Amino acid sequence: MKKVLLFALASLMLSCDKEDDNPIPGDNENKVVLLKVDFLTNKFEGGKELEFSKSPDFTISTTYESPGDFGSVQLYYKEFEKKLFDGTIHWMGLGEMSYPESVSSPNAFQTIDENLPLPDTSEFAKVMYDENAHYPETINYTDIWNSIDNLKVVSNYRNSNPEGKINLFLYTPSVGVGDPADWDWFIILKN
């Protein structure tokens, strides 16, 4: 029995790689963060960080059911077919977000001392969940960016993936005579 344990321990030690290919903790993590910003006030309302298997790619795919009376929109991390967002849409009513089930409060997010500069507008991409997806004709990227430009998570994600798009999704749970006070921007970043 001792020989078996000794052999197993020796095998384990020999199989360990002496060189650490990943000296930075979390370097191989694949995360996506959704940051919620009020549509009218551009106030940061919180966010959710989701973790996935490692992948260099990040594509957002969607499913959408137009709200004749009741509709819905889902966003997925296409490479894994894993949900990023799920919410209902009501015509002349008010839908609700069901995934993520909750978002962390703004107080849960660390801030940095110096605000990040506004990226070029070409770095922003609207999430087009339908050919008739509702977005304002003119988007004030500055006001949206100013609501999250002091968050450490944004700085970390932009530093680790500077070529990544800043995905903008406008969730409109009320349509028809919808109330823009019910609407929220979701800024979606991949690290």
Side-chain angles (χ1 to χ4, degrees):
M1 180 69 163
K2 288 182 182 177
K3 288 182 182 179
V4 172
L5 286 175
L6 208 63
F7 179 74
L9 182 61
S11 296
L12 185 64
M13 288 175 53
L14 290 173
S15 67
C16 290
D17 191 0
K18 297 203 188 259
E19 209 173 303
D20 187 4
D21 293 331
N22 185 19
I24 302 169
D27 193 36
N28 282 331
E29 293 176 349
N30 182 24
K31 294 184 179 182
V32 173
V33 68
L34 287 81
L35 302 170
K36 183 179 177 185
V37 173
D38 183 83
F39 176 73
L40 290 179
T41 66
N42 291 307
K43 181 179 178 187
F44 175 57
E45 296 181 329
K48 184 74 170 189
E49 193 170 43
L50 306 170
E51 193 166 339
F52 300 92
S53 300
K54 187 69 177 164
S55 173
D57 300 318
F58 179 60
T59 310
I60 297 175
S61 63
T62 65
T63 58
Y64 175 69
E65 183 180 333
S66 182
D69 284 323
F70 303 98
S72 63
V73 60
Q74 294 81 32
L75 308 182
Y76 297 91
Y77 191 143
K78 182 179 179 179
E79 285 74 13
F80 299 108
E81 287 302 317
K82 296 284 187 180
K83 198 176 287 185
L84 297 170
F85 179 89
D86 191 350
T88 56
I89 304 167
H90 290 190
W91 188 267
M92 306 288 284
L94 182 61
E96 62 182 31
M97 179 178 74
S98 60
Y99 189 85
E101 292 177 13
S102 64
V103 295
S104 299
S105 74
N107 296 338
F109 290 83
Q110 293 180 347
T111 57
I112 55 176
D113 294 332
E114 191 172 323
N115 294 359
L116 299 169
L118 175 69
D120 188 81
T121 57
S122 65
E123 296 182 48
F124 290 85
K126 292 186 280 188
V127 176
M128 297 303 292
Y129 53 88
D130 181 65
E131 62 190 33
N132 299 314
H134 179 76
Y135 284 93
E137 286 185 34
T138 304
I139 297 175
N140 188 332
Y141 295 103
T142 303
D143 287 349
I144 296 168
W145 185 254
N146 287 346
S147 65
I148 62 166
D149 66 354
N150 69 333
L151 299 178
K152 185 174 183 179
V153 69
V154 174
S155 176
N156 290 347
Y157 275 51
R158 295 293 293 158
N159 285 332
S160 67
N161 187 9
E163 303 300 317
K165 287 289 183 185
I166 302 162
N167 297 283
L168 290 179
F169 166 59
L170 179 59
Y171 177 47
T172 57
S174 60
V175 293
V177 184
D179 185 355
D182 299 328
W183 302 352
D184 292 297
W185 289 109
F186 281 86
I187 298 92
I188 305 170
L189 304 170
K190 180 193 180 303
N191 71 344

